[in-house]
Amino acid sequence: MGSMEAFGSIIATLLCFLFLAEAAAVQGRTHHHKFVVKSSSYSRLCASKEMLTVNGKFPGPTLKVHRGDKMIVKVYNHAKTNITLHWHGVKQRRNPWSDGPEYITQCPIQPGKTYIYKIDFTDEEGTVWWHAHSGWARATIHGAIFIYPKLGYGYPFLKPFSEVPIILGEWWKKDVMKIESNANRTGGEPILSDSYTINGQPGYLYPCSTKGTFRMKVKQGKTYLLRIISAVMDEDLFFGIAHHKMTLVGKDGFYTKPIQTDYIMITPGQSMDVLLEANQPPSLYSMAATAYSSAFGAGFDKTMTTALVDYIGTYSSPITSPLLPNLPPHNRTEASTSFTKQLRSLGTKEHPANVPLHVDTFLFFTVSVNLLNCTTNETCTGPFGKRFAASVNNISFMTPSLDILEAYYYKIPGVFEMDFPRNPPMEFNYTGDKLPDNLLTPSFGTKVMVLEYNASVELVLQGTNVLASDNHPVHLHGYSFYVVGWGFGNFNPKEDPLRYNLVDPPQETTVGVPQNGWVAIRFKADNPGVWLLHCHIERHTTWGMNMVFLVKNGEDPDTRILKPPHDLPKC
Ligand SMILES: *[C@@H]1O[C@H](CO)[C@@H](O)[C@H](O)[C@H]1NC(C)=O
Ligand SMILES: *[C@@H]1O[C@H](CO)[C@@H](O)[C@H](O)[C@H]1NC(C)=O
Ligand SMILES: *[C@@H]1O[C@H](CO)[C@@H](O)[C@H](O)[C@H]1NC(C)=O
Ligand SMILES: *[C@@H]1O[C@H](CO)[C@@H](O)[C@H](O)[C@H]1NC(C)=O
Ligand SMILES: *[C@@H]1O[C@H](CO)[C@@H](O)[C@H](O)[C@H]1NC(C)=O
Ligand SMILES: *[C@@H]1O[C@H](CO)[C@@H](O)[C@H](O)[C@H]1NC(C)=O
Ligand SMILES: *[C@@H]1O[C@H](CO)[C@@H](O)[C@H](O)[C@H]1NC(C)=O
Ligand SMILES: *[C@@H]1O[C@H](CO)[C@@H](O)[C@H](O)[C@H]1NC(C)=O
Ligand SMILES: [Cu+2]
């Protein structure tokens, strides 16, 4: 018997070697997809409405690739509105033409037109996602991207029994495409959502929603990989599963050191890979998510979305109300930071943390919510009868009518300016309690920050208490970065850097700037192009909390941006 087993294992080892040798020779595959953007009818919360979808699905199709693969997505716009798509968390090395943000890297795909996006999966591994990047369309146009390890390579954890996308979303009974213009008309808060969703379903705590509630069947004793994405528009969420601990193993398309936790805090734009061990007595358990909202006085959707973890087998008694997880109260900032402060890069030989140790470009940006005086003719419904705005370094971003990338590439003047400031224009007690009113009003502009190719950048994002402080999930296109430090209050350039983690800081693409605090990130500017940085809370980006990096070409041909594609949409 023993020798038979030994023989079997030698065969297995040999097969494994053969497989690895073959896999090493295999180049990444190219996947082709057709995305039709159109209006479809959906019914939730006892009412139906028309909304934009991709291929009639909500959430949209899940795309599955291996690291090193390429994807070609031909988008047909059969809707009545302009649209663009963004591949969130994918670097798109040298190819900003396929990045997606409207009027930043492309003109929108107009009704009846098509555009082919080319997506190149290079460094990312884990879960990322895709979404519309024009107006508020991403509320209904989004989906998951699973990036498996390269062929022949495994996960840095035991292979899960099965993998499940968990897409957190937000639902409005009204037409989301009208929210932005309505809010802009009054200058006040955009209307609050009517529910959050898990995989497109509000869950059994909402009216008319019990039947559709997402149900994840599990086998006792098995481990599942939840690929969690927050496609939510306006709120951070706490998420947990009753009676189950979760193990976080990845974030934003990069592995982390495993973190065992009862709940996660996930901001709009983030994705997290979480292992769930089905190790409880067979029953029905709820997974649930509800808001973490730190901004004083800001309205938010206080409801809770649920889905079910349903053990296969017979339960001892019928279950009428499944157990809910214990989630922190909505305003518990400590609960948010006690989760996020644990994040670390995996930092192994296969998945190293290549943190830039030497910085040659230091940037300090404030992120603020602002107010403007109402013009004499209007009645504004923002605080003090004013109009909301938002800014980075006191500049509220004005979207141009031709994309910045084309203007740069073809040297078209008058579209943008190159003088985005390295520091805030005025020093003040950023996180002070009672700030003077003259700090409320921002200036306006379409300014880019020019970076030399290969610059080693440290960017400190400083939250401010202008109007009200909030946790701002800041997303950078074209890059991932290391989160080397964070804290509450004002960044102290003398003392805080001494406490940086330069060994295994988490590698991310969307980082929460803590409420009334700061975060320091580092990246190497080795991806030439035009890349947007913005808050992923939709109302903040609508109000102008955006800026743009223009990273120059390097010397070598393979350090320059690619030529524009022939089918690039026209403005
Ligand atoms: C919002 O309103 C202002 C005028 O109050 C206008 O200049 C701007 O174009 C509007 N923006 C959008 C997105 O409708
Ligand atoms: C959170 O809300 C509770 C109840 O509304 C309130 O008592 C508490 O002071 C708030 N905590 C913070 C940190 O704002
Ligand atoms: C806004 O309105 C107030 C009150 O009318 C006025 O004192 C202030 O100067 C105005 N601010 C700007 C930037 O126009
Ligand atoms: C305000 O209303 C007057 C009269 O209706 C109009 O002439 C003027 O253009 C309006 N101003 C603005 C800023 O909308
Ligand atoms: C900034 O404001 C905070 C909160 O009001 C206060 O504790 C701190 O002393 C202020 N710092 C300075 C330098 O004024
Ligand atoms: C922002 O710019 C406006 C307009 O120039 C100015 O009035 C305001 O004081 C500035 N605020 C800050 C915080 O720099
Ligand atoms: C970019 O910087 C890295 C070191 O961080 C260096 O190895 C590389 O040669 C540089 N590339 C160019 C094109 O300057
Ligand atoms: C759609 O895009 C075109 C080209 O940029 C623009 O002229 C048009 O105003 C846009 N339509 C809407 C409704 O925003
Ligand atoms: Cu924000």
Side-chain angles (χ1 to χ4, degrees):
M1 257 330 253
S3 66
M4 278 302 282
E5 262 169 35
F7 182 68
S9 110
I10 287 168
I11 295 283
T13 313
L14 273 175
L15 281 175
C16 183
F17 268 119
L18 283 174
F19 181 60
L20 274 177
E22 188 186 35
V26 170
Q27 291 294 312
R29 283 178 48 202
T30 301
H31 309 253
H32 293 261
H33 295 281
K34 178 179 171 181
F35 272 24
V36 179
V37 176
K38 59 181 179 185
S39 186
S40 311
S41 183
Y42 269 80
S43 183
R44 297 284 185 276
L45 306 171
C46 321
S48 69
K49 68 165 184 178
E50 286 287 316
M51 62 186 218
L52 294 179
T53 63
V54 162
N55 300 351
K57 290 191 173 149
F58 175 70
T62 296
L63 306 174
K64 296 178 180 177
V65 299
H66 289 266
R67 184 170 174 179
D69 287 359
K70 290 184 180 8
M71 202 162 65
I72 292 178
V73 181
K74 182 158 186 182
V75 178
Y76 295 76
N77 186 358
H78 290 179
K80 292 195 180 75
T81 48
N82 290 342
I83 207 79
T84 67
L85 293 185
H86 169 54
W87 316 90
H88 184 114
V90 187
K91 281 201 180 69
Q92 297 291 57
R93 198 172 285 284
R94 301 172 58 210
N95 190 18
W97 307 106
S98 277
D99 190 46
E102 146 177 276
Y103 301 119
I104 307 296
T105 57
Q106 69 166 99
C107 296
I109 312 168
Q110 295 184 40
K113 299 279 197 273
T114 65
Y115 182 46
I116 297 174
Y117 286 95
K118 301 188 182 85
I119 305 108
D120 195 357
F121 297 94
T122 51
D123 313 11
E124 307 80 14
E125 189 170 321
T127 306
V128 295
W129 59 300
W130 57 269
H131 63 76
H133 217 300
S134 38
W136 281 48
R138 79 172 175 87
T140 59
I141 299 191
H142 58 250
I145 306 178
F146 292 9
I147 309 175
Y148 301 120
K150 270 194 174 145
L151 277 177
Y153 292 80
Y155 294 116
F157 42 82
L158 281 178
K159 192 174 189 293
F161 179 69
S162 160
E163 307 192 4
V164 184
I166 299 290
I167 302 177
L168 304 167
E170 204 169 0
W171 187 271
W172 279 264
K173 289 187 191 167
K174 293 207 169 121
D175 182 358
V176 281
M177 298 303 281
K178 295 207 174 100
I179 294 176
E180 185 180 7
S181 54
N182 283 341
N184 191 49
R185 196 159 31 75
T186 64
E189 293 262 8
I191 55 164
L192 298 181
S193 53
D194 297 292
S195 80
Y196 300 107
T197 54
I198 297 179
N199 291 344
Q201 292 290 345
Y204 63 82
L205 296 177
Y206 298 92
C208 309
S209 303
T210 306
K211 221 174 128 219
T213 301
F214 174 69
R215 203 172 261 266
M216 177 180 160
K217 291 266 185 198
V218 300
K219 270 189 186 162
Q220 199 189 26
K222 302 290 185 198
T223 298
Y224 295 80
L225 177 60
L226 306 184
R227 294 177 175 267
I228 307 173
I229 291 158
S230 178
V232 165
M233 300 295 275
D234 270 340
E235 293 303 334
D236 302 338
L237 296 179
F238 290 121
F239 169 92
I241 303 170
H243 282 225
H244 290 76
K245 287 211 182 286
M246 302 179 285
T247 307
L248 182 90
V249 291
K251 177 177 187 292
D252 293 357
F254 296 96
Y255 295 119
T256 61
K257 292 204 168 68
I259 298 169
Q260 223 192 42
T261 184
D262 290 321
Y263 65 88
I264 60 170
M265 192 289 285
I266 186 164
T267 76
Q270 293 183 337
S271 53
M272 294 187 187
D273 291 350
V274 162
L275 294 174
L276 170 69
E277 233 185 291
N279 57 7
Q280 293 301 302
S283 186
L284 263 188
Y285 301 90
S286 299
M287 53 177 90
T290 193
Y292 159 53
S293 173
S294 56
F296 180 78
F300 64 98
D301 179 344
K302 299 186 177 65
T303 63
M304 179 181 276
T305 179
T306 54
L308 294 166
V309 176
D310 183 358
Y311 278 68
I312 294 167
T314 40
Y315 309 150
S316 47
S317 59
I319 288 134
T320 46
S321 53
L323 291 161
L324 283 167
N326 263 326
L327 295 175
H330 295 303
N331 61 359
R332 186 65 60 79
T333 289
E334 281 151 48
S336 163
T337 49
S338 69
F339 168 68
T340 51
K341 77 178 181 195
Q342 301 177 69
L343 291 165
R344 298 284 183 278
S345 279
L346 184 58
T348 56
K349 209 167 108 225
E350 294 76 27
H351 303 283
N354 294 319
V355 191
L357 296 179
H358 155 84
V359 170
D360 53 41
T361 307
F362 183 83
L363 307 172
F364 185 74
F365 295 174
T366 52
V367 286
S368 303
V369 176
N370 303 94
L371 285 180
L372 301 175
N373 280 353
C374 216
T375 58
T376 41
N377 290 7
E378 343 167 85
T379 322
C380 292
T381 60
F384 320 114
K386 294 185 183 229
R387 165 175 287 278
F388 276 112
S391 61
V392 182
N393 269 354
N394 198 44
I395 300 162
S396 192
F397 185 79
M398 284 164 72
T399 305
S401 48
L402 172 68
D403 61 292
I404 294 176
L405 179 58
E406 277 182 273
Y408 164 61
Y409 193 86
Y410 295 112
K411 304 191 169 61
I412 301 165
V415 175
F416 65 92
E417 294 166 303
M418 310 244 264
D419 57 350
F420 190 89
R422 284 169 182 252
N423 291 290
M426 195 197 297
E427 249 183 79
F428 61 99
N429 189 350
Y430 306 111
T431 53
D433 271 344
K434 289 206 171 63
L435 294 174
D437 282 354
N438 67 342
L439 300 178
L440 277 176
T441 320
S443 64
F444 289 86
T446 308
K447 293 177 187 290
V448 307
M449 167 101 236
V450 179
L451 293 176
E452 294 301 323
Y453 177 78
N454 225 14
S456 191
V457 182
E458 175 171 319
L459 165 60
V460 173
L461 292 159
Q462 172 73 61
T464 76
N465 201 23
V466 170
L467 191 61
S469 59
D470 202 346
N471 182 50
H472 296 289
V474 172
H475 174 52
L476 175 58
H477 290 229
Y479 288 90
S480 63
F481 47 75
Y482 291 96
V483 182
V484 295
W486 69 275
F488 291 113
N490 303 333
F491 173 70
N492 181 329
K494 285 202 185 69
E495 282 165 23
D496 288 323
L498 303 175
R499 286 190 292 272
Y500 282 174
N501 175 2
L502 300 177
V503 178
D504 62 353
Q507 192 172 2
E508 311 191 359
T509 62
T510 305
V511 65
V513 181
Q515 185 207 17
N516 244 355
W518 57 272
V519 66
I521 66 175
R522 285 192 183 180
F523 62 95
K524 194 106 172 100
D526 56 3
N527 189 14
V530 166
W531 306 109
L532 180 63
L533 174 131
H534 66 103
C535 182
H536 224 280
I537 290 185
E538 203 62 30
R539 62 181 191 279
H540 294 171
T541 190
T542 301
W543 294 339
M545 198 180 278
N546 316 306
M547 62 78 62
V548 169
F549 284 109
L550 194 166
V551 180
K552 289 199 206 163
N553 283 332
E555 296 288 327
D556 301 336
D558 66 350
T559 60
R560 294 169 189 221
I561 63 175
L562 300 177
K563 288 205 175 73
H566 298 299
D567 62 342
L568 192 68
K570 294 198 169 48
C571 278

